[in-house]
Amino acid sequence: MPSPPSPWQDAPLFHLFWHNGELNPARAEVMRARIADDAARAGSPPRPLHAAGGIALPDPVHPDDALAQRHSGRRFGDARWGAQELGRVLAPLRARPGASDTRRLPSGGAKYPIQAYAALYASDDAPTPAQGIHWYDPLAHALVPVAPCPAWPALSALLGVDWPERPAAVLFLIAEPAGTLAKYGERGGRFVLIEAGVWLGALGQEVAAMKAAGCAIGSFEDAAVLDLLGLDPRRHLAVLAYACGPAP
């Protein structure tokens, strides 16, 4: 059977932009050096263009709200989650219950180019039925086994992190952008990235509501992640990773 046409024919400049930002071992080393240099310099967010002050607004967010509690946590406690915890974390990503294929989160043109995969760990390195790499089925709100999960030292090296504790789960946000790019061309590349950001925000707020720990990861090696998940690099993009688990 012939391969379907490449999605990049509809947005070649987005493909070039994406390729220029991909990480392999050599590029990852350059990025680590840049991050170290940046950490040694004083910095702050951009200053506003307009005068400080203005019309005071009420803030309805209370200290105990999930939004107030959300932060990037890179330390994890006993890394074991079951179906209840995983179901709660992934619930924002599911399709609306019922006959509709629409999702709880928005997508440009209802193309839904983002998919989620989960690398799950049990309480130790011994294999268990829940351990492994799974695809998240948003229609059934279920996990579909895909492949074995590497030991944490191997996966953390691929992700480019040196965290001492292993998370309960590493979620991968993967894009298959053909439909979005066919409809919107180069502009569709923005929509794919916006959608991944919306997913990340939803995951982070859910993890915060659980009083758990979570952190986005952008230092992974692109080709290695797609190979781990058994995906075709000609059609898929590794957009983000998100580690989460019980707080220490």
Side-chain angles (χ1 to χ4, degrees):
M1 179 180 296
S3 299
S6 167
W8 309 123
Q9 66 185 12
D10 296 307
L13 295 182
F14 175 65
H15 189 210
L16 177 62
F17 156 78
W18 189 266
H19 176 70
N20 286 340
E22 288 177 340
L23 290 184
N24 55 34
R27 285 182 169 183
E29 187 58 40
V30 172
M31 191 176 79
R32 280 191 285 270
R34 294 176 68 99
I35 291 172
D37 289 343
D38 181 74
R41 295 193 300 264
S44 62
R47 296 187 61 80
L49 297 177
H50 308 286
I55 302 171
L57 300 173
D59 184 356
V61 177
H62 299 290
D64 292 334
D65 291 348
L67 187 59
Q69 297 294 318
R70 197 222 62 79
H71 68 282
S72 294
R74 300 171 177 83
R75 302 295 301 270
F76 302 96
D78 182 19
R80 180 168 186 159
W81 272 357
Q84 182 175 359
E85 292 84 4
L86 292 166
R88 180 173 177 181
V89 170
L90 293 167
L93 312 185
R94 73 170 298 183
R96 297 184 186 277
S100 174
D101 187 28
T102 62
R103 312 293 168 81
R104 286 175 167 163
L105 298 178
S107 178
K111 294 301 183 181
Y112 307 112
I114 305 297
Q115 301 180 45
Y117 287 76
L120 305 178
Y121 287 101
S123 56
D124 52 41
D125 288 329
T128 70
Q131 190 170 359
I133 295 175
H134 300 70
W135 171 66
Y136 172 65
D137 182 348
L139 300 182
H141 190 46
L143 293 172
V144 179
V146 170
C149 189
W152 174 241
L155 184 58
S156 63
L158 182 154
L159 294 172
V161 300
D162 57 358
W163 303 339
E165 294 98 2
R166 180 185 57 195
V170 177
L171 307 178
F172 294 98
L173 301 186
I174 303 297
E176 188 172 0
T180 303
L181 300 183
K183 181 170 185 175
Y184 297 110
E186 304 289 355
R187 195 73 171 184
R190 293 193 190 190
F191 299 158
V192 170
L193 298 179
I194 290 169
E195 184 170 336
V198 170
W199 282 41
L200 176 63
L203 291 171
Q205 189 157 345
E206 201 63 45
V207 166
M210 297 167 62
K211 301 189 183 304
C215 185
I217 302 171
S219 53
F220 54 82
E221 297 174 19
D222 294 65
V225 165
L226 295 177
D227 184 62
L228 177 69
L229 303 178
L231 298 176
D232 185 349
R234 296 169 299 180
R235 301 194 59 78
H236 298 90
L237 305 174
V239 182
L240 270 176
Y242 182 74
C244 52

